[in-house]
Amino acid sequence: MRPLYLNQLFASLLGIKGVGPKMSQTFSKLLRGDALLEARRIDLLLHMPHSLIDRSLQPGIAHAPDGGIVTVKVTIDKHMPPPRHNRRVPYRILCHDETDSLTLIFFHAKGGYLERQMPVGEVRYVSGRLERYNGEAQIAHPDHVVSEEDFASLPLIEPVYPLTAGLSSKVVHKTMQVALDDLPVIGEWQDKAWLDKHGWAGFSECLQRVHNPLEVKDVEPIAPARLRLAYDECLASQLALSLVRNSIKKEAGIARRWSGKLAKALTAALPFALTQSQLNSIADIEKDLASPERMLRLVQGDVGSGKTMVALFAAIAVIESGSQTAIMAPTELLARQHLQSIKPLCDAIGVRVTTLTGKDSAGDKKAKLKALKEGDIDLLIGTHALFQGTVEFADLGLAIVDEQHRFGVHQRLMLSSKGQATDLLVMTATPIPRTLVLTYFGDMDVSLLTEKPAGRKPIATRTMSLDRFDELVSGIGRAVQNGAKVYWVCPLVEESDVLDVTSAEDRFASLKNIFGSHVALVHGRMTPDEKKQAMDNFKDGEAQILVATTVIEVGVDVPDATIIVIEHAERFGLAQLHQLRGRVGRGDKASSCILLFKGPLGEVSKARLSIMRETEDGFRIAEEDLRLRGEGDLLGTKQSGMPGFRIAQMEFHQELMEAARDDARLITEKDPGLQSPRGKALRDLLYLFGRDEAILLLKAG
Ligand code: ADP
Ligand code: MG
């Protein structure tokens, strides 16, 4: 149970002066991303300012930096209300100081209010983001407009927060002060020596400092108070992961024993030699399997690095030791594809494999479930959904989760409860940056596949404007005549006027006009049967062009496809483009990737596409993606942060996350039940940062 003294922090904002039911919902939207989730005081307190108003800085309109937040002292000259019945034209107020003129802009404004607030001829202090359009200085919706008397009573420095429609900086500020005034006394969960080393103050003191900054530096992500809070957040998440790790590991695993005869047979049956990376990963896994602890391992590898083979070697080790293995794919299409590539090998070495999908007839399904329960199936391939139901194994020894990086801690725990001592192997679809690995897989051990199988040719990547569509089509025509197989990827299924995206269906129709029956279509709205039909057509070579949505993103394997066209490449994330591009270059023939874009491109889009041209190294692409997204977000109003984190930001706090991981592992080693005084305080930390699910694990044990 949450300690009573924390209740105050989990009280609703509703009821604080100025926060009625409507305002409370607006806060919910801002703080919890959902109007239906109650906004609590702790959510507000952890809402960080992104900049500040520095009233000591009054450069004058002419000298104000473009896009910066400034305070100017102006004389009001003229009100220009919008024409009647035209709400789209903003209300404008012209004013000036001794350096230049300035226009204040208000959309959907109430004229009467503005006239009272800013009478013509009066002097006002205006604070807000100043921008120039055609040389004309403007501030849209100033954060503050105050008279000279009122200005004197305002703090010189005031934080500015990310907002949402219907919420003003002023209301956030006032509500924040109430929450700060009512802060309960909270124990210290950080190590004293660590705090001293960094010169960090206590949690409450840091909150005060961040929300009532004394100097400009205080709102920077690297200000000491911010660092402390970011570290708290990192530690909460890492501690939760570490508790999960402990609870999975501590249920004794099985020290598996096997002779390696299946691995020998499989190696002999393979038409290629394993890469050194594959061998290393398999060795890591075999060591885990042989140890009495449960395995919790993540295999990270680039597209085409051969993760499936690593999975298969892991599976057969467990199977030879007398247990079963399950492989979970994200879609049925992929489950079937895994079966297709794995089955001949399994047949060759006497491993009994099958899939369980939604497509099985009731009779088939029943027979398979029975065989599974009686141990007559060694390896089962399916989707996640299947493992959430009533599937019973005779003895599930290993669960492999393929191509799914959104497989949360929750699912990990649930899965590990399917079998007595089930080992867990997770494979990510794409390389992800180091910090993210820590953030989401901090509880797991990691093996990296850094090499690609020998003989892979580089993929020639080009960018091309949509204007040159005809040229592209004739090029594709020539390639198809020479026998090439082409993926053609479109971003959306249905036509959307707003986004001006060519839908896969439209593109399919237009390409069919040109290439006739050589074209097939696959997208997410099709039934599994229709998808399979289309994929088979493409695989068997009847269709040489496969128009697809991103359903082909993960795992689809047609080794003799050599060209991929990605339409509206500028709309995709880098990691996604990389993943898509990895659909070609799988055989020994030279391949190419054409990134079709619709100009004009912004700076960030340009940079992204050029990285795609420069490199095929997925690990590098992942890091760049993160960097560019960070910058992209900085341009907007949204703060760049990691999903699920409110304070910690990758660009600034990566090292904190790493330190937190080590700290968390040490804590759970020394005090696995969080019983010591520090342990008790750490439970508070978990509550405050919403990681308290992990506390339930402590009770169970
Ligand atoms: P991914 O890591 O993207 O899941 P896959 O496991 O699907 O990659 O492997 C991609 C392709 O490479 C498959 O056709 C697979 O048979 C082949 N492959 C795997 N390992 C090797 C290897 N060591 N040498 C050559 N080809 C390999
Ligand atoms: Mg794969």
Side-chain angles (χ1 to χ4, degrees):
M1 269 301 149
R2 191 170 67 210
L4 293 176
Y5 57 85
L6 292 182
N7 282 358
Q8 170 69 356
L9 283 167
F10 287 87
S12 168
L13 292 177
L14 186 69
I16 291 182
K17 190 162 174 279
V19 185
K22 180 114 188 290
M23 188 57 79
S24 159
Q25 280 199 359
T26 312
F27 268 115
S28 291
K29 243 182 273 164
L30 174 71
L31 300 172
R32 308 206 61 189
D34 184 343
L36 296 176
L37 292 173
E38 185 176 59
R40 303 153 309 177
R41 292 179 174 214
I42 184 68
D43 301 314
L44 183 63
L45 289 165
L46 298 180
H47 188 56
M48 296 288 114
H50 62 65
S51 54
L52 52 67
I53 298 174
D54 179 0
R55 297 193 174 86
S56 63
L57 193 80
Q58 294 175 31
I61 298 167
H63 310 294
D66 200 9
I69 292 188
V70 292
T71 298
V72 288
K73 181 185 177 185
V74 297
T75 306
I76 308 296
D77 295 323
K78 190 177 178 193
H79 281 246
M80 299 173 64
R84 266 167 190 269
H85 308 304
N86 193 347
R87 302 267 295 158
R88 271 186 303 172
V89 174
Y91 192 110
R92 300 157 88 82
I93 298 176
L94 308 186
C95 46
H96 75 276
D97 69 0
E98 60 272 24
T99 66
D100 203 350
S101 57
L102 172 71
T103 307
L104 306 178
I105 302 206
F106 299 86
F107 290 92
H108 306 293
K110 295 196 190 82
Y113 171 73
L114 291 174
E115 269 166 28
R116 281 194 301 281
Q117 202 191 15
M118 287 172 267
V120 170
E122 296 266 315
V123 170
R124 288 290 179 267
Y125 282 88
V126 175
S127 305
R129 191 179 299 283
L130 186 144
E131 279 164 324
R132 289 193 176 76
Y133 294 98
N134 303 323
E136 188 194 321
Q138 301 184 345
I139 296 180
H141 295 271
D143 296 313
H144 287 274
V145 176
V146 292
S147 65
E148 285 187 277
E149 306 89 76
D150 289 347
F151 184 73
S153 66
L154 285 176
L156 276 181
I157 290 179
E158 193 179 304
V160 177
Y161 296 91
L163 296 172
T164 189
L167 204 55
S168 70
S169 220
K170 222 189 214 156
V171 172
V172 173
H173 207 245
K174 271 195 188 151
T175 316
M176 188 72 81
Q177 294 313 314
V178 175
L180 285 171
D181 288 345
D182 292 350
L183 268 177
V185 178
I186 305 170
E188 181 57 76
W189 47 73
Q190 296 294 1
D191 183 44
K192 171 106 179 32
W194 175 253
L195 290 179
D196 290 347
K197 183 180 153 200
H198 290 91
W200 289 344
F203 177 70
S204 304
E205 217 175 305
C206 288
L207 283 178
Q208 296 280 5
R209 183 65 178 252
V210 159
H211 296 301
N212 290 309
L214 299 175
E215 42 183 342
V216 179
K217 291 205 310 275
D218 287 343
V219 296
E220 286 171 6
I222 51 167
R226 267 297 253 280
L227 287 180
R228 145 98 212 210
L229 296 174
Y231 188 72
D232 285 337
E233 189 175 42
C234 291
L235 184 61
S237 90
Q238 289 301 317
L239 187 58
L241 285 173
S242 194
L243 292 171
V244 168
R245 177 183 168 85
N246 269 10
S247 98
I248 293 181
K249 284 231 161 202
K250 97 183 153 211
E251 282 173 54
I254 294 179
R256 301 183 191 280
R257 296 289 170 257
W258 69 98
S259 72
K261 119 180 152 292
L262 282 181
K264 239 181 238 136
L266 178 57
T267 306
L270 285 180
F272 46 73
L274 296 176
T275 65
Q276 192 56 48
S277 279
Q278 285 172 317
L279 290 170
N280 294 344
S281 298
I282 294 167
D284 288 343
I285 292 166
E286 289 181 342
K287 208 167 131 216
D288 291 345
L289 294 174
S291 100
E293 285 211 316
R294 273 196 180 184
M295 173 165 79
L296 259 178
R297 183 169 291 279
L298 172 73
V299 174
Q300 247 212 301
D302 209 339
V303 195
S305 58
K307 292 185 285 288
T308 313
M309 211 43 72
V310 174
L312 188 55
F313 273 88
I316 59 172
V318 169
I319 290 164
E320 201 190 322
S321 80
S323 298
Q324 295 162 300
T325 296
I327 298 182
M328 265 148 286
T331 65
E332 297 211 339
L333 183 70
L334 280 167
R336 268 196 300 274
Q337 208 146 47
H338 273 320
L339 184 74
Q340 268 178 28
S341 57
I342 285 175
K343 188 154 193 333
L345 293 168
C346 286
D347 288 348
I349 60 173
V351 165
R352 297 161 299 180
V353 59
T354 189
T355 50
L356 198 57
T357 72
K359 187 189 141 245
D360 292 322
S361 69
D364 272 0
K365 187 167 179 200
K366 209 169 151 209
K368 284 181 185 176
L369 286 176
K370 183 162 177 283
L372 201 60
K373 198 173 169 185
E374 287 171 2
D376 295 333
I377 292 172
D378 301 315
L379 176 56
L380 181 71
I381 305 176
T383 62
H384 302 141
L386 290 169
F387 293 85
Q388 279 153 14
T390 51
V391 180
E392 272 180 80
F393 291 83
D395 172 19
L396 179 62
L398 171 64
I400 301 176
V401 182
D402 186 26
E403 314 276 16
Q404 178 65 285
H405 47 251
R406 278 170 220 93
F407 191 71
V409 166
H410 227 86
Q411 287 93 326
R412 268 174 239 164
L413 279 171
M414 199 194 62
L415 235 178
S416 64
S417 66
K418 270 274 171 200
Q420 273 300 306
T422 309
D423 288 307
L424 182 61
L425 187 65
V426 175
M427 321 245 210
T428 58
T430 39
I432 52 181
R434 248 186 76 73
T435 328
L436 283 185
V437 172
L438 271 183
T439 309
Y440 299 107
F441 302 100
D443 57 331
M444 308 192 84
D445 303 302
V446 180
S447 297
L448 289 181
L449 291 175
T450 49
E451 301 165 83
K452 292 213 180 163
R456 292 277 161 81
K457 296 251 167 50
I459 303 168
T461 300
R462 276 186 299 153
T463 50
M464 200 183 234
S465 163
L466 203 54
D467 302 340
R468 292 165 61 193
F469 186 77
D470 293 342
E471 202 180 313
L472 172 65
V473 164
S474 54
I476 296 287
R478 283 191 298 276
V480 165
Q481 241 159 30
N482 291 329
K485 281 187 187 174
V486 183
Y487 289 111
W488 190 298
V489 185
C490 305
L492 274 187
V493 181
E494 276 167 335
E495 185 74 67
S496 155
D497 296 335
V498 193
L499 289 176
D500 185 29
V501 172
T502 311
S503 75
E505 269 150 1
D506 275 4
R507 183 54 75 213
F508 172 65
S510 71
L511 290 177
K512 215 174 153 86
N513 268 339
I514 305 170
F515 298 109
S517 61
H518 288 300
V519 193
L521 171 69
V522 60
H523 62 63
R525 299 264 168 102
M526 291 175 149
T527 66
D529 268 342
E530 291 169 332
K531 277 189 227 168
K532 181 175 181 306
Q533 180 71 42
M535 288 304 304
D536 286 350
N537 275 351
F538 186 58
K539 242 185 167 155
D540 302 342
E542 250 169 78
Q544 282 177 265
I545 300 176
L546 181 69
V547 178
T549 56
T550 48
V551 292
I552 66 152
E553 183 182 345
V554 274
V556 167
D557 192 18
V558 180
D560 60 346
T562 54
I563 300 176
I564 184 163
V565 177
I566 304 173
E567 233 178 288
H568 281 293
E570 78 281 3
R571 294 187 197 276
F572 289 94
L574 269 190
Q576 213 179 1
L577 287 177
H578 178 64
Q579 182 73 18
L580 286 167
R581 178 169 61 183
R583 296 308 111 209
V584 299
R586 302 194 141 220
D588 47 12
K589 280 187 246 154
S591 298
S592 52
C593 168
I594 295 120
L595 303 172
L596 260 188
F597 64 87
K598 185 163 181 200
L601 290 179
E603 285 308 312
V604 173
S605 304
K606 246 184 230 164
R608 282 147 125 234
L609 293 186
S610 76
I611 286 162
M612 290 303 295
R613 274 198 314 254
E614 261 167 52
T615 184
E616 274 186 62
D617 177 348
F619 288 95
R620 187 180 151 211
I621 288 174
E623 301 286 347
E624 292 281 343
D625 193 20
L626 191 67
R627 197 177 62 77
L628 284 176
R629 256 190 298 163
E631 285 180 9
D633 282 350
L634 284 181
L635 300 176
T637 48
K638 193 169 143 280
Q639 267 192 302
S640 60
M642 295 176 276
F645 285 73
R646 300 189 255 207
I647 303 174
Q649 287 171 266
M650 199 89 54
E651 309 94 290
F652 304 107
H653 305 132
Q654 178 155 350
E655 278 158 29
L656 294 183
M657 189 66 88
E658 292 180 19
R661 199 254 308 240
D662 296 342
D663 204 358
R665 290 228 171 157
L666 218 67
I667 291 166
T668 49
E669 233 169 70
K670 281 206 298 215
D671 182 14
L674 299 186
Q675 295 298 344
S676 69
R678 185 184 179 201
K680 297 233 163 77
L682 282 162
R683 291 176 179 224
D684 292 352
L685 171 72
L686 293 171
Y687 282 116
L688 292 179
F689 283 89
R691 308 280 179 181
D692 45 300
E693 266 176 309
I695 293 176
L696 294 175
L697 299 173
L698 293 176
K699 283 221 195 89

